Amino acid sequence: MADNTLAINGGSKAVPELPARYHFGKEEKAAVDALFDECIVSGNASGYNGPEEEAFGREFAEYLGGGYADGVNSGTNTIFVSLKSLELPPFSEVVVGCVTDPGGMMPIAELNCIPVPADTAPGSFCAGAEQIESRITDRTSAIVVAHIAGEPADMPSIMAVAKRHNLPVVEDCAQAHMSLIDGRKAGTFGTLGAFSLMAGKYMCAGGQGGAVFTRSEEQYWKVRRAADRGKPFNLEGHTNVRYAINCNMDEIHAAIARAQLKKLPGIVEHRRNFVKMMLERGLGELPGIYIPQKDLKKGFEPCYWWWRLRFMADEMKCTKDEFCKALVAEGAQILPSYAAALPARMEWFAKRADCHPWNNPLCRSDVNAVYETPNCDKVIASDFVFFIYESYGETQADQLMEAFRKVAVHYAK
């Protein structure tokens, strides 16, 4: 007979142990070994802007359906380089979704522009088109929109807003390497797509890395110049043409990224399959749990960097925190709140009036503006994070389903 006593109350854990990701293997090692073998033979260390990075750029662009891609050294710098390549006016405003990694917002200020947080769409962690448009002023110069948790933001509607206001769009795809809208990949709708390749993402280039994508060859060369100290790429007879810093990806990280890119479709397929397993086992039918992805528009397909689930407080006799703590005790990997991804509620933003660019006399924005985000507040309060990996299979689906069942039944009204 199954032990229905919660682990948090002394019962047996439903999930004894979860496997690691195991997304690195002999392919990545072989790619790096080959580079080192070349270095030993030549006597020279590997650098950057070499054949591995060029090949990675080509292959990444092909994976996205054609265009141009440049490897850079971090996910944060994909946003920095993307915005730098747009040559935005100093002290102009950039509308950015309020739910994002700090690295998705801070580059705006680093480029002497003013980040303006936009609310999420109702029931979503992604900024909505209507909410973005409500933040646009005559000072707005660009839009940054993140696809949070691998759920695609409503890019067709957002691009319609951008077109009305003649604004470039940077898609922050740090969590959405294979999110789809009607079969089209996230990152291919905007002017630029910014992809993090750090260790925790679907695919990675090692510890840190990133890729910037565009369909425009002209914009691509601007990206290259912005990523490498303004070097005159594709401009003959010039010295460095603009000031910029070094955000290059190197050959070793590019070699790893090439091996990882081959695995990316399988990684995402396994994650989607695991979600399907859990739904087939009845996760969405348990008391206290709602599957918010059911509300996505037709043709919108997440790729599940993690799985966002909704706690239905009116069905339960516990709080969301208590519910999540009980799941953690059962062995599930759960984060009760995603409030850590609200950079406009952090110290740096609260103290912005005393800092550049806000305190510069040329700044015309309201440095004390209060950006209300009621949709975000509601979804942060109700939703929690369920971490899933591509290494999970039938065994983990059975065990995790039992963990959710035990907790949901115990706390149900």
Side-chain angles (χ1 to χ4, degrees):
M1 181 180 293
D3 180 7
N4 290 319
T5 305
L6 295 188
I8 201 168
N9 293 332
S12 301
K13 291 173 63 173
V15 187
E17 186 177 9
L18 288 168
R21 290 186 62 190
Y22 300 110
H23 66 308
F24 262 29
K26 63 182 186 303
E27 300 87 353
E28 291 78 11
K29 184 177 185 297
V32 175
D33 283 348
L35 262 185
F36 272 89
D37 289 343
E38 292 174 13
C39 292
I40 292 168
V41 171
S42 69
N44 299 312
S46 63
Y48 62 91
N49 285 341
E52 289 294 329
E53 185 184 352
E54 292 296 324
F56 169 68
R58 287 194 305 271
E59 291 162 6
F60 196 79
E62 289 170 4
Y63 143 77
L64 288 172
Y68 307 87
D70 185 37
V72 297
N73 56 10
S74 75
T76 299
N77 274 341
T78 64
I79 303 298
F80 181 86
V81 167
S82 294
L83 293 171
K84 181 82 173 175
S85 75
L86 292 172
E87 302 174 3
L88 305 177
F91 311 107
S92 61
E93 296 177 351
V94 177
V95 179
V96 56
C98 62
V99 180
T100 185
D101 184 89
M105 188 179 290
M106 288 177 170
I108 298 168
E110 284 288 326
L111 290 164
N112 304 310
C113 294
I114 308 299
V116 175
D119 199 4
T120 65
S124 175
F125 278 177
C126 300
E130 179 182 340
Q131 290 71 30
I132 288 171
E133 189 160 31
S134 72
R135 296 288 197 248
I136 294 173
T137 70
D138 61 353
R139 296 182 296 276
T140 306
S141 61
I143 298 168
V144 177
V145 56
H147 304 279
I148 302 298
E151 294 179 26
D154 188 353
M155 291 313 300
S157 298
I158 292 170
M159 292 308 298
V161 169
K163 185 176 180 180
R164 276 199 298 274
H165 296 273
N166 193 29
L167 295 171
V169 175
V170 175
E171 287 183 78
D172 182 349
C173 302
Q175 302 181 9
H177 291 50
M178 281 191 72
S179 296
L180 301 173
I181 299 176
D182 294 328
R184 182 173 169 182
K185 293 184 178 71
T188 66
F189 292 85
T191 313
L192 296 138
F195 293 80
S196 173
L197 304 178
M198 60 83 74
K201 297 305 192 297
Y202 307 88
M203 62 166 283
C204 73
Q208 291 284 357
V212 179
F213 171 81
T214 179
R215 292 195 182 278
S216 164
E217 182 178 3
E218 179 184 4
Q219 194 65 42
Y220 166 72
W221 292 115
K222 290 181 178 180
V223 166
R224 293 291 302 272
R225 296 165 203 148
D228 193 359
R229 294 157 290 170
K231 288 180 181 177
F233 292 106
N234 205 43
L235 296 173
E236 300 211 4
H238 292 268
T239 58
N240 293 43
V241 293
R242 62 176 311 193
Y243 66 89
I245 59 175
N246 187 344
C247 300
N248 280 293
M249 177 181 279
D250 61 65
E251 287 290 274
I252 291 174
H253 286 84
I256 295 171
R258 292 182 68 195
Q260 282 273 287
L261 181 59
K262 293 182 177 68
K263 296 181 177 181
L264 177 59
I267 287 171
V268 173
E269 180 182 8
H270 279 95
R271 287 173 177 248
R272 286 178 174 144
N273 284 341
F274 182 76
V275 169
K276 184 179 179 182
M277 289 180 204
M278 293 294 289
L279 293 176
E280 287 173 346
R281 284 161 171 76
L283 180 63
E285 299 163 20
L286 291 175
I289 295 175
Y290 181 75
I291 311 298
Q293 293 77 28
K294 295 195 300 185
D295 299 330
L296 291 174
K297 291 183 177 179
K298 184 179 179 181
F300 283 55
E301 188 174 354
C303 54
Y304 299 102
W305 186 51
W306 38 264
W307 193 358
R308 179 172 65 97
L309 297 175
R310 182 160 300 152
F311 176 73
M312 306 300 288
D314 59 343
E315 300 177 7
M316 309 301 284
K317 54 188 180 186
C318 66
T319 66
K320 183 179 72 166
D321 281 351
E322 289 169 336
F323 187 82
C324 290
K325 284 179 182 178
L327 284 173
V328 171
E330 294 295 338
Q333 292 187 299
I334 301 290
L335 183 66
S337 173
Y338 202 52
L342 301 173
R345 298 186 185 178
M346 297 176 179
E347 288 183 40
W348 72 279
F349 199 81
K351 298 175 180 177
R352 67 191 186 279
D354 298 324
C355 303
H356 181 81
W358 291 272
N359 67 356
N360 191 294
L362 296 176
C363 176
R364 296 192 296 120
S365 300
D366 179 2
V367 299
N368 296 308
V370 176
Y371 301 104
E372 300 288 349
T373 55
N375 294 337
C376 171
D377 295 344
K378 184 175 181 180
V379 78
I380 287 288
S382 64
D383 293 9
F384 63 95
V385 172
F386 175 28
F387 292 105
I388 61 173
Y389 295 145
E390 57 275 8
S391 56
Y392 294 1
E394 298 280 351
T395 297
Q396 287 72 41
D398 289 338
Q399 293 174 348
L400 284 162
M401 187 61 207
E402 176 60 13
F404 275 93
R405 186 200 64 77
K406 282 177 64 178
V407 174
V409 170
H410 179 85
Y411 285 118
K413 287 183 177 178

